[in-house]
Amino acid sequence: MAGKIEVTEEMFIPAENNFQEADRISRPTISYWSDVWRRLRANKLAMTGLVLIILLCLMAIFGPYMNGFTYYEQDFTKKNLAPNAEHWFGTDASGRDLFTRAWYGARISLFIGLMAALIDFMLGVIYGGISAIRGGRTDNIMMRIAEVIYSIPYLLMVILIMVVLKPGIFPIIIAMTITGWIPMARLVRGQVLQLKENEYVQAAKVAGAKLSWTLRKHLIPNSMGPILVNVTLTIPTAIFAEATLSFLGLGIQPPQASWGSLTNDALGSILIGNFYQLAIPALLISLTMFAFNVLGDGLQDALDPKLRE
Amino acid sequence: MLKYVLHRFMWAIITLWATITITFIIMHSIPGDPFAKEGTMPESVYENLQRHYNLDKPKIVQYFFYLKQVALLDFGPSLKSKTLTVNDYIEKGFPVSFHLGAQAMIIAVFFGLILGVIASLYRKRWPDYTSMIIAIIGISVPSFVLATLLINFLAVKWSFFPVATWKSWSHTVLPSIALAMMPLAYIARLMRTSMIEVLNQDYILTAKAKGLRKNAVIIKHAIRNALMPVVTILGILTANVVTGSFVIEHIFGIPGIGEMFVKGIMNRDYPVILGSTVFYSAILIFLIFIVDVVYTWIDPRIKVTGASK
């Protein structure tokens, strides 16, 4: 408040006329991605999602080995047991250990979700990228085709393809990616078209940059944000589609398990009061969907510079 | 306007044709033929059956036969039922499915809008958090999980509602709720975002400043403008309700088209699968067409840009 300011001689010495020193940036630069990460970290819901996803992935990797049972081993003397010290999640109608099956199912469900999202991503980037860079007539035709395929109901097509293919993990991934890449292609095309018009891209072109350079340095890094959000939100869609397929009996076949098929198997048992058989896979699917959805939403917010505070 | 409608209609027809063609190709790429299973059949009977169903003709001829059939709204006979045709199934199932779908959509739109509006008006207070928790649950919990939970608690444990089948109004409650939750959640979230955006606009400030009552501002100025984005996604959400309905119909044992589709898949009854897919797609494409037209009709801004093109 009333603190006296000590005035000394040195304060009156003229400053050195050093421009280089004045222009020096004294704080470390925050890159775009570390800025995004900073904003994402502040979002509690999104971080909960991220932590849940990491936990689910760890359990999918190690869970099936944790209590010494296998996912296919049947023991008819131990049918429909409630959760206990030996069988942590109880057993199913064939006496299989549900803890192992639930995490083995996690492995399959997450694998299918990740693979489908990855393939959709690659196909979408290639198709959308070519369409946008070529432009003109090629673009028009490619996008019309995509639009028509997109109008066909997704789940209907997936189910139809599964009728033809033999049930299994890879046929499911194929069925889901045959039509699943289109939203990504449209997104990539929109992004690239928008970026192509930006001054810095034009400037690069004028300066004689090759297409590969423009792609690597400008187009790809700058369109990464929305694409990442889309990938994050494709994973729960794929997991949901797989669960629905398995629930209808078209997906994963026993003795293999996925969350969808576990829910389907448990349907019969709720009438005899074994609710836990249903509750566990149901909870796991819901948690996964929740985690990916809130992470996707959080990423979307974190990537949006307009929401910067 | 008329030109726009005709243009959209033409694309709807092309999409429908593409769907029929793709479905036809998929169904006919299944190895073997429908009658090959019944091994004791005399050769002449087999040949007659082949001829009767045009299976002896080249694929391309069969394809044109099928296109002609579909154009005349005839989906052919069912292979499993000796007396019923696919048309009979659709005639029986459609009113049921339509009832279920319409009821679910009404619930979703009504409660979704209310939740969204409430959340936006009480932003960052408990009504907002409650609505958004409901929305997150709606997106995270797959419809078949929700359906089984509803059956377990409301029907089996507390017997408020009948467990399954489709007889009286009380039979329709649980399946409608299960089907409505997902679109309800999407509508609520979208309505919230859209309302918050509209409430920050200058014309809302003007309306408040000129002394309009709060309700008038919210209803006349905010809600009416915020509805636009919700109308755009109604088409996609209806598509979700329709494709979601076959899982729900299957769980609750409702004799609709969805159940017919699922049974068709389980019995490998190809005309039924083909017929119901085409029928479903036709309905969906038609609905999306209607939503597109209605959207341009209620939003004057689109009409202006459309006319200037």
Side-chain angles (χ1 to χ4, degrees), chain A residues 151 153 160 164 267 275 290 297, chain B residues 15 23 26 136 148 152 189 284:
Chain A
S151 312
L160 213 58
V164 183
L267 252 193
F275 178 61
F290 166 80
D297 283 354
Chain B
T15 311
T23 332
I26 293 176
I136 287 180
T148 44
N152 184 56
R189 271 162 53 118
L284 284 177

Side-chain angles (χ1 to χ4, degrees), chain A:
Chain A
M1 296 270 179
K4 267 185 266 172
I5 298 169
E6 193 120 343
V7 181
T8 56
E9 281 288 299
E10 297 109 75
M11 285 179 172
F12 295 94
I13 298 170
E16 244 179 280
N17 206 354
N18 189 342
F19 288 113
Q20 268 179 338
E21 193 59 26
D23 281 346
R24 203 167 59 95
I25 296 161
S26 55
R27 283 160 204 260
T29 48
I30 298 179
S31 76
Y32 176 62
W33 287 106
S34 58
D35 200 30
V36 167
W37 171 238
R38 204 168 47 89
R39 262 174 284 160
L40 186 68
R41 227 170 23 190
N43 184 337
K44 285 197 195 94
L45 206 54
M47 288 318 282
T48 315
L50 188 61
V51 171
L52 267 177
I53 291 169
I54 294 171
L55 283 180
L56 282 164
C57 288
L58 286 177
M59 282 309 285
I61 297 169
F62 300 112
Y65 309 117
M66 280 166 89
N67 68 355
F69 292 98
T70 56
Y71 68 88
Y72 50 83
E73 186 183 87
Q74 300 184 345
D75 185 348
F76 285 98
T77 59
K78 289 177 180 166
K79 281 195 294 190
N80 292 323
L81 287 181
N84 57 45
E86 196 188 355
H87 296 279
W88 298 335
F89 285 173
T91 57
D92 69 2
S94 313
R96 289 178 290 216
D97 178 57
L98 274 176
F99 183 83
T100 311
R101 282 180 75 72
W103 296 116
Y104 181 78
R107 202 180 265 190
I108 290 186
S109 293
L110 288 170
F111 177 74
I112 289 175
L114 291 172
M115 280 307 285
L118 197 70
I119 295 172
D120 282 351
F121 163 75
M122 291 193 297
L123 289 177
V125 167
I126 293 170
Y127 193 93
I130 291 176
S131 182
I133 290 167
R134 276 299 186 80
R137 208 200 180 106
T138 325
D139 177 40
N140 210 345
I141 294 170
M142 282 175 88
M143 278 302 125
R144 283 296 184 200
I145 294 172
E147 214 167 276
V148 168
I149 302 176
Y150 185 63
S151 312
I152 302 170
Y154 174 69
L155 202 55
L156 210 57
M157 254 317 136
V158 174
I159 290 179
L160 213 58
I161 296 167
M162 283 312 293
V163 174
V164 183
L165 300 174
K166 282 207 184 76
I169 297 175
F170 289 99
I172 292 177
I173 295 174
I174 292 170
M176 286 198 286
T177 45
I178 280 182
T179 55
W181 55 272
I182 293 183
M184 181 62 85
R186 295 192 350 159
L187 179 78
V188 170
R189 173 180 170 272
Q191 285 286 315
V192 172
L193 279 185
Q194 201 190 338
L195 289 171
K196 234 167 66 168
E197 299 307 313
N198 276 349
E199 279 83 0
Y200 60 87
V201 180
Q202 306 275 1
K205 214 176 189 177
V206 171
K210 283 202 201 95
L211 182 65
S212 64
W213 171 272
T214 328
L215 269 178
R216 217 171 48 237
K217 285 285 168 184
H218 298 302
L219 298 183
I220 293 174
N222 282 307
S223 55
M224 234 29 232
I227 292 174
L228 193 66
V229 173
N230 193 293
V231 171
T232 320
L233 294 176
T234 309
I235 297 172
T237 315
I239 291 177
F240 174 76
E242 181 277 323
T244 309
L245 279 179
S246 298
F247 184 77
L248 290 174
L250 286 170
I252 300 297
Q253 301 294 310
Q256 287 191 317
S258 81
W259 289 333
S261 70
L262 287 174
T263 319
N264 188 21
D265 293 344
L267 252 193
S269 70
I270 57 169
L271 292 171
I272 52 170
N274 287 328
F275 178 61
Y276 63 92
Q277 289 185 8
L278 175 72
I280 291 161
L283 187 73
L284 289 176
I285 301 177
S286 306
L287 271 182
T288 312
M289 303 276 290
F290 166 80
F292 279 106
N293 274 310
V294 292
L295 180 66
D297 283 354
L299 264 180
Q300 194 154 30
D301 290 346
L303 287 162
D304 191 349
K306 272 184 286 179
L307 291 172
R308 216 168 181 169
E309 277 160 19

Side-chain angles (χ1 to χ4, degrees), chain B residues 142-156:
Chain B
S143 60
F144 62 88
V145 170
L146 185 67
T148 44
L149 291 178
L150 287 174
I151 292 179
N152 184 56
F153 289 108
L154 295 179
V156 176

Side-chain angles (χ1 to χ4, degrees), chain B residues 15-62:
Chain B
T15 311
L16 188 59
W17 166 78
T19 314
I20 295 172
T21 310
I22 293 173
T23 332
F24 186 88
I25 294 171
I26 293 176
M27 291 323 296
H28 283 260
S29 61
I30 298 169
D33 64 77
F35 301 108
K37 271 188 217 158
E38 290 156 57
T40 53
M41 191 184 287
E43 193 65 20
S44 56
V45 176
Y46 176 77
E47 270 165 23
N48 271 333
L49 276 172
Q50 291 278 56
R51 203 171 311 127
H52 179 72
Y53 292 114
N54 291 320
L55 291 174
D56 52 342
K57 310 238 174 18
K59 290 267 190 257
I60 186 81
V61 178
Q62 290 184 40

Side-chain angles (χ1 to χ4, degrees), chain B residues 220-242:
Chain B
K220 274 203 160 174
H221 295 266
I223 293 182
R224 273 176 77 174
N225 283 297
L227 273 177
M228 284 299 157
V230 178
V231 176
T232 2
I233 62 154
L234 273 187
I236 299 168
L237 286 184
T238 318
N240 270 324
V241 165
V242 172

